[in-house]
Amino acid sequence: MQAVDLIRTKRDGGRLSDAEVRWFIDSYTHGRIADEQASAMLMAIVFRGLDPAELSEWTAAMIDSGDRMNLSTVGKPTVDKHSTGGVGDKVSLVACPLVAACGAAVPQLSGRGLGHTGGTLDKLEAISGWQASLTPEQMLSQLHDIGLVICAAGAGLAPADRKLYALRDVTATVESIPLIASSIMSKKIAEGTESLVLNVTFGSGAFMKRLDQAHELAETMVQLGAAHGVRTTAVLSRMDTPLGRSAGNALEITESIEALNGGGPDDLLEITLALAREMLTLAKIDIDPAPVLQNGQALRVWNQMIRAQGGDPDAPIPVASRREIVRAEQSGYITRLDAFAVGVAAWRLGAGRSRKEDPVSPIAGVVCLAKPGDVVEQGQPILELHIDNVDRLSGALEALIDAITIAPEPIETPPLIADILRS
Ligand code: URA
């Protein structure tokens, strides 16, 4: 086969046979197809798409590019969750220990943040001593003993995605539903979980800006999961406003621990409990997760996971000593607090990275002191910027120039959860 023939087929709107898809993914993973040819294929897919059978084969080839973990020795039903990203999205930190406390095993292989959205591993690394890298043996024994592991995916998991994602990042080919769906699902299926709940976000702070795009992505991923034997549900939720009160690594750990202690903001609890209920349904565990969050059992699993991965759950969470306040320019009702702007501000303060090798600040971030629906007086504090490096402040403030809308009348806020798709 010749890469150029396959690129031409896709460019002209044709379909690739199963053998061609397999050959392409395998050859690129092993360095036998050059980056420029893979880039051309990715761009052709951005414009032409992949039909359901092509996408299923493309995903299967990505899974088979590496190892598929076998979690059968864990001795409990396995269920994971994945979010397509957002600002202040710390749901995994609460939902995963909660579902583990209800009796499931949660093998959460997570990523780091890139751009304005945060990454679960970056957040956990704000805890003194906590380690993201585990061997497959450590992962299996922790899942067996505690029921929860949150760690970095090893190099052997879907290596085709690692190469393709890096290439997509620099060739403007990330924003394609079949490419996003195959990237996410190849990693989750290779991880070996029996079932999976996806939180597909939409709105200014999300990958997908509109509900119809999120719907298409969710449906595509639910079908891919079912086709590969993973029971999959997708919860579609709005990400126009930051979730909870904070965006930033240590800040989000503190807020998650508050939720695990039975507190936490309403929006975080609503989405956490909705996802936990779907995870438990797929795991066939008939337990209401709400009391488990209140009675300290979920917090106990969190503490065990932090300790097992080298962290000290009692160590103080680092805080910024320097803060800057953004105040209400007028009195009235907050009708908009833009998630993207807050995410960019937190990122510019140092909470996120521009290149994957950049370090992140544990303490930098933004706290929302007021949110849409709240009534404020002119001059009242709305945002509190937590500063690690003062040189980064002006860029963050610039991102927030048009982030807040205050109106004389309230507007009705749509529900946080827009839809749930079950396979
Ligand atoms: N996250 C992934 O893992 N892959 C994508 O393509 C997009 C988001």
Side-chain angles (χ1 to χ4, degrees):
M1 281 187 218
Q2 295 292 327
V4 69
D5 295 331
L6 273 53
I7 297 165
R8 189 180 298 111
T9 300
K10 188 44 66 186
R11 181 200 68 189
D12 294 345
R15 72 176 305 281
L16 303 174
S17 69
D18 288 358
E20 287 170 334
V21 166
R22 288 274 171 181
W23 179 83
F24 187 86
I25 295 286
D26 185 61
S27 303
Y28 181 59
T29 308
H30 292 99
R32 294 191 296 270
I33 290 182
D35 280 351
E36 56 269 26
Q37 289 188 308
S39 306
M41 176 63 90
L42 292 170
M43 192 57 89
I45 292 173
V46 167
F47 287 112
R48 296 294 193 175
L50 293 172
D51 73 22
E54 275 178 307
L55 177 59
S56 185
E57 197 62 21
W58 181 276
T59 308
M62 287 172 72
I63 297 165
D64 293 344
S65 70
D67 309 323
R68 186 163 177 175
M69 287 193 72
N70 178 356
L71 303 181
S72 60
T73 56
V74 165
K76 296 175 185 173
T78 53
V79 58
D80 194 9
K81 79 159 278 279
H82 176 82
S83 165
T84 57
V87 176
D89 184 351
K90 70 258 325 158
V91 175
S92 288
L93 298 172
V94 190
C96 295
L98 173 58
V99 169
C102 294
V106 185
Q108 165 98 155
L109 298 189
S110 264
R112 298 182 186 281
L114 195 64
H116 75 280
T117 62
T120 299
L121 301 181
D122 293 329
K123 294 171 197 179
L124 281 161
E125 280 173 349
I127 298 174
S128 169
W130 186 87
Q131 294 294 325
S133 295
L134 298 183
T135 63
E137 294 73 32
Q138 284 172 318
M139 189 183 156
L140 281 176
S141 81
Q142 192 174 316
L143 266 182
H144 180 272
D145 298 345
I146 300 171
L148 172 63
V149 75
I150 305 182
C151 67
L157 193 105
D161 178 62
R162 207 169 284 255
K163 277 193 83 173
L164 284 170
Y165 194 69
L167 193 61
R168 288 166 59 209
D169 206 24
V170 294
T171 56
T173 52
V174 170
E175 295 87 348
S176 148
I177 285 178
L179 293 179
I180 296 173
S182 56
S183 167
I184 292 173
M185 294 304 287
S186 62
K187 286 174 286 196
K188 288 290 163 187
I189 295 166
E191 162 195 288
T193 188
E194 291 163 332
S195 41
L196 175 67
V197 174
L198 299 159
N199 185 192
V200 181
T201 51
F202 64 97
S204 83
F207 247 116
M208 299 287 140
K209 301 300 171 199
R210 303 192 318 260
L211 175 58
D212 62 326
Q213 298 167 320
H215 216 276
E216 192 183 336
L217 177 61
E219 214 163 76
T220 306
M221 292 196 289
V222 167
Q223 280 166 10
L224 271 180
H228 289 88
V230 176
R231 296 187 293 271
T232 306
T233 293
V235 176
L236 282 84
S237 67
R238 287 188 168 74
M239 183 45 78
D240 289 310
T241 300
L243 190 67
R245 298 257 163 212
S246 61
N249 299 308
L251 289 168
E252 292 190 49
I253 292 290
T254 301
E255 193 173 11
S256 302
I257 293 173
E258 242 175 74
L260 289 163
N261 265 310
D266 291 347
D267 56 350
L268 175 60
L269 293 186
E270 181 185 344
I271 187 83
T272 298
L273 287 172
L275 289 169
R277 289 194 177 104
E278 296 299 330
M279 290 169 79
L280 291 167
T281 302
L282 290 183
K284 302 186 171 55
I285 295 175
D286 185 16
I287 290 183
D288 177 7
V292 182
L293 207 46
Q294 297 295 320
N295 67 18
Q297 283 174 265
L299 181 66
R300 208 156 28 244
V301 173
W302 163 270
N303 286 338
Q304 288 171 337
M305 180 275 290
I306 298 295
R307 254 188 225 106
Q309 292 182 227
D312 176 1
D314 302 319
I317 307 293
V319 286
S321 50
R322 210 174 147 191
R323 316 226 174 140
E324 175 86 14
I325 297 289
V326 174
R327 295 175 188 279
E329 285 179 359
Q330 65 197 75
S331 300
Y333 292 87
I334 300 183
T335 54
R336 186 181 67 96
L337 174 56
D338 187 63
F340 180 68
V342 172
V344 171
W347 170 30
R348 290 188 182 169
L349 285 169
R353 56 171 68 76
S354 305
R355 293 171 309 159
K356 66 179 186 322
E357 51 283 353
D358 290 347
V360 295
S361 161
I363 58 176
V366 178
V367 175
C368 307
L369 302 169
K371 296 227 352 205
D374 292 347
V375 188
V376 291
E377 296 293 325
Q378 186 180 24
Q380 185 176 326
I382 308 247
L383 298 175
E384 183 180 68
L385 276 54
H386 285 229
I387 300 159
D388 190 356
N389 175 347
V390 76
D391 295 343
R392 292 169 163 270
L393 177 60
S394 61
L397 287 170
E398 202 180 305
L400 294 168
I401 285 172
D402 190 29
I404 304 164
T405 307
I406 298 174
E409 298 296 331
I411 55 165
E412 203 168 315
T413 32
L416 183 58
I417 296 174
D419 205 355
I420 300 183
L421 307 184
R422 301 183 178 94
S423 52

